[in-house]
Amino acid sequence: MKIYILFLIVGLSSFLMADAQKENGIVYSEHDAITKTKAMWAAFVKGDKETFASFCADSIWEVVNGDFQIRLKKDLGGIVDWWKDFENFSIQDDKPAYPDAIDYKIGGLWVQDWLLWKGTHKATGININLRVHNLYRFDKNGKINSIHQYFNNDIFEEIAKSQKTIESGVVYKYHPYIITIRKAVNAFCSKDLETLLSFYTQDAVFSNLSLKDGVVTNLEAKKKELKDAFDSYNNIKLDQSGAPVCICYEKEYYVVYSWWVLSFTTKDGKKKSKIPLMLSHGFDKEGKIIWESIYFSSNQFE
């Protein structure tokens, strides 16, 4: 009996699932509507306003990232004109994606595509590599009467801001964090490891030009590196080269930039050449160093 009930339940579930499936149209990988959207964007890239607008109805619903408005066909040329400010401009399929045309039984004919827009804004030099998802609805006359676009708008905000003069923070010639860096440098030259490490947070990260791009080390690795340096070198000096600055960026993010010339001798007394360094240190709200970057020519140590 239990087996019979089990088969009955499975059979009923399969029947219900099959009954819940209902076709509502046909999907095409090749269609006249797809050809129209490709031709429309080709005209857009060429700056051909009349041809671009010819694919649209007299008025269309334009939905951009969820915000919609009604745009008249005669006003579409303004969009084309704005993109004339780009050079090396291109629009192509964002492969391996490709467009589809969907002819719904209820809902009409739609095309969806995934495009890659590339170019360089002439005035700012900003390069775009923009992925755009479009949905187009066609009316009975084969004209687009609704277009929905989805993309990351950050690049356009960057272009707009780049054409203005906008402060990014405050530069300090004298600041307590500059004093912290001087004390840390003094501790380094004195081989005072305990004092030096006290200026950093426990989760501080470190980078320098000898590491691969994007690779950072932690405080424990920094400690070992410092011990090895103290064991290998004597007469360590860091002479200031240029005035350090502390910059408070927009979101209360403090960085100290400083420039030095490092000199030392090996244990056998051999003199080493002077090595220019640039140091960058980021601080947390408690005044502790949370990251450090060192810039130098690594072949000076070879």
Side-chain angles (χ1 to χ4, degrees):
M1 178 63 71
K2 289 182 179 179
I3 295 176
Y4 173 76
I5 293 174
L6 176 61
F7 277 113
L8 178 62
I9 293 173
V10 171
L12 181 61
S13 299
S14 300
F15 172 76
L16 291 174
M17 288 176 65
D19 188 58
Q21 296 176 355
K22 186 176 181 180
E23 291 184 3
N24 186 33
I26 303 173
V27 179
Y28 300 89
S29 60
E30 295 181 8
H31 195 281
D32 180 55
I34 295 175
T35 303
K36 288 180 179 180
T37 59
K38 287 183 175 292
M40 181 181 74
W41 290 121
F44 185 87
V45 170
K46 291 179 181 178
D48 185 346
K49 295 185 285 188
E50 291 185 5
T51 301
F52 173 71
S54 69
F55 293 96
C56 299
D58 290 338
S59 65
I60 65 171
W61 282 95
E62 182 185 65
V63 184
V64 178
N65 293 331
D67 295 327
F68 66 89
Q69 63 176 322
I70 296 177
R71 189 181 288 274
L72 298 179
K73 180 178 182 178
K74 65 182 181 66
D75 296 330
L76 294 176
I79 304 173
V80 179
D81 285 337
W82 190 85
W83 281 91
K84 287 181 179 179
D85 291 335
F86 286 79
E87 58 187 0
N88 301 320
F89 182 42
S90 66
I91 298 177
Q92 57 191 7
D93 288 338
D94 188 16
K95 296 180 179 179
Y98 57 86
D100 297 313
I102 307 172
D103 193 2
Y104 292 102
K105 292 179 181 178
I106 303 174
L109 177 62
W110 290 74
V111 169
Q112 61 176 348
D113 61 23
W114 293 263
L115 301 177
L116 185 62
W117 296 34
K118 291 184 177 182
T120 301
H121 190 246
K122 296 175 184 177
T124 63
I126 292 175
N127 296 315
I128 66 163
N129 191 39
L130 183 69
R131 287 178 165 82
V132 180
H133 176 43
N134 296 306
L135 298 167
Y136 322 80
R137 186 181 188 277
F138 288 78
D139 63 18
K140 293 180 180 179
N141 298 316
K143 300 291 185 179
I144 296 171
N145 62 8
S146 176
I147 180 169
H148 304 245
Q149 289 190 313
Y150 300 90
F151 54 85
N152 187 335
N153 193 51
D154 290 351
I155 191 66
F156 300 110
E157 292 183 4
E158 184 71 12
I159 288 172
K161 290 178 180 177
S162 293
Q163 298 177 79
K164 302 176 183 179
T165 300
I166 302 174
E167 292 183 358
S168 181
V170 180
V171 179
Y172 296 94
K173 185 176 180 180
Y174 300 100
H175 193 279
Y177 293 167
I178 294 177
I179 294 174
T180 296
I181 296 305
R182 285 204 184 100
K183 289 181 177 180
V185 165
N186 291 338
F188 174 75
C189 294
S190 300
K191 298 185 177 181
D192 185 350
L193 185 61
E194 182 178 354
T195 299
L196 176 56
L197 294 179
S198 70
F199 295 110
Y200 299 88
T201 62
Q202 290 299 308
D203 58 352
V205 295
F206 304 84
S207 64
N208 61 65
L209 292 185
S210 67
L211 299 173
K212 293 182 179 180
D213 185 40
V215 175
V216 296
T217 58
N218 57 23
L219 190 64
E220 193 61 34
K222 180 67 174 180
K223 183 177 180 180
K224 182 181 183 305
E225 177 187 317
L226 291 167
K227 283 183 176 179
D228 291 342
F230 294 160
D231 291 340
S232 302
Y233 305 116
N234 289 325
N235 303 317
I236 299 174
K237 291 183 180 180
L238 276 168
D239 295 316
Q240 186 175 303
S241 175
V245 294
C246 177
I247 299 181
C248 177
Y249 290 100
E250 287 179 283
K251 299 179 180 179
E252 298 184 358
Y253 181 55
Y254 287 86
V255 179
V256 172
Y257 301 100
S258 58
W259 297 264
W260 309 84
V261 175
L262 172 66
S263 61
F264 51 83
T265 58
T266 57
K267 290 291 186 178
D268 59 9
K270 183 179 179 181
K271 193 78 172 181
K272 284 288 182 181
S273 60
K274 294 182 178 180
I275 303 172
L277 302 175
M278 176 184 172
L279 306 180
S280 301
H281 292 90
F283 286 79
D284 66 9
K285 293 182 179 180
E286 282 70 46
K288 292 278 191 177
I289 299 171
I290 56 175
W291 61 262
E292 173 186 274
S293 294
I294 305 177
Y295 302 89
F296 59 91
S297 176
S298 59
N299 62 12
Q300 299 264 13
F301 290 91
E302 293 177 0

